[in-house]
Amino acid sequence: MIAVASAVPRAAASVPVDPCIAVPTGTFYVTGGALMEDGAAGVPASSNGLFGTGWTPPQESTQNPDGTWSQTNYAVDPEPASWWQTGGASPSTEVGFLSLDDNDNSDGSSGEPSVVTGVLTYEVTAGTPYTFAFPIYASADYLGCQYLSIDISGPGVEEPGAVQGYFGNPAITDVPEGVDAYPHFSETQSPEVTFTPTSSGTLTFTYTFTVAHVTGGERKNADLFVKAPLLTNCG
């Protein structure tokens, strides 16, 4: 998939605006390792433009005159993702983030985990209690592990690791430092976090996906789809 260090910033104007849902900033970053369409073979998705990791709903990637593909901030592969849908999750239509691609799990790879970071924001008012839900869907628990941490920060709000978990088989995974204590996700869950900001301003939700190196099985990683944070007491 994305073998570069960062994604190209794009506006998120095509993502529907809902006052109850935090919205993507339009940028996500690959801050460590590389992402592969086929981790077992070390095939980057950028070879054909089918970026399987990114914001949803999906948007077509752009092919450059030299035959390369420009990174987009939207998951393009698969469309419409019907084979992946679990528990009602539909990455082809829902606002959220799909982490579908693998680490480079091929022979001779570095073994470095791939780390993907996406940011969403929401404007909050001082003294108002907020409860956000984080619908999370997971698939392919028999594959190597993928980990997720959601941090919340902003005006008088600091919730590092507000939501954490993993999906996949640790027995065939080089478990990275710092994520070994994460609990195991089920295929469908919607954890909630409640807080009251002490001042008004922009709240930031940071999604960090760690796609670990896989040493056994099919040498691919489990998949995660996280809907955008939903304000349950909206309106």
Side-chain angles (χ1 to χ4, degrees):
M1 195 261 184
I2 312 158
V4 295
S6 65
V8 176
R10 272 183 179 242
S14 62
V15 175
V17 176
D18 186 321
C20 300
I21 300 176
V23 298
T25 63
T27 302
F28 72 89
Y29 299 96
V30 181
T31 57
L35 285 171
M36 300 287 148
E37 177 189 351
D38 183 346
V43 176
S46 55
S47 63
N48 58 12
L50 297 179
F51 302 101
T53 290
W55 299 115
T56 60
Q59 176 174 297
E60 293 294 338
S61 54
T62 302
Q63 188 169 23
N64 303 316
D66 63 359
T68 63
W69 292 85
S70 295
Q71 176 58 278
T72 73
N73 288 305
Y74 298 84
V76 173
D77 179 32
E79 290 186 81
S82 59
W83 66 269
W84 191 90
Q85 295 167 13
T86 55
S90 176
S92 63
T93 60
E94 299 284 357
V95 178
F97 197 93
L98 176 62
S99 184
L100 180 67
D101 290 315
D102 301 326
N103 184 257
D104 186 353
N105 301 317
S106 60
D107 292 335
S109 63
S110 68
E112 177 187 5
S114 305
V115 180
V116 180
T117 301
V119 176
L120 303 94
T121 58
Y122 194 90
E123 295 300 314
V124 294
T125 303
T128 301
Y130 293 86
T131 299
F132 280 93
F134 300 87
I136 301 169
Y137 303 87
S139 181
D141 204 23
Y142 60 91
L143 298 179
C145 293
Q146 177 173 180
Y147 302 81
L148 169 66
S149 181
I150 300 176
D151 302 326
I152 307 172
S153 61
V157 179
E158 291 296 332
E159 297 280 349
V163 177
Q164 292 181 330
Y166 79 93
F167 209 62
N169 182 3
I172 58 172
T173 304
D174 287 338
V175 179
E177 293 184 6
V179 300
D180 52 303
Y182 285 15
H184 184 261
F185 282 137
S186 61
E187 289 189 348
T188 305
Q189 55 266 292
S190 187
E192 295 185 350
V193 179
T194 300
F195 49 81
T196 302
T198 56
S199 57
S200 301
T202 302
L203 193 71
T204 299
F205 300 91
T206 302
Y207 290 4
T208 301
F209 299 85
T210 301
V211 186
H213 183 249
V214 182
T215 58
E218 296 183 18
R219 292 195 181 185
K220 298 182 181 182
N221 294 85
D223 305 329
L224 294 176
F225 172 58
V226 188
K227 290 187 182 181
L230 173 65
L231 183 61
T232 61
N233 53 341
C234 182

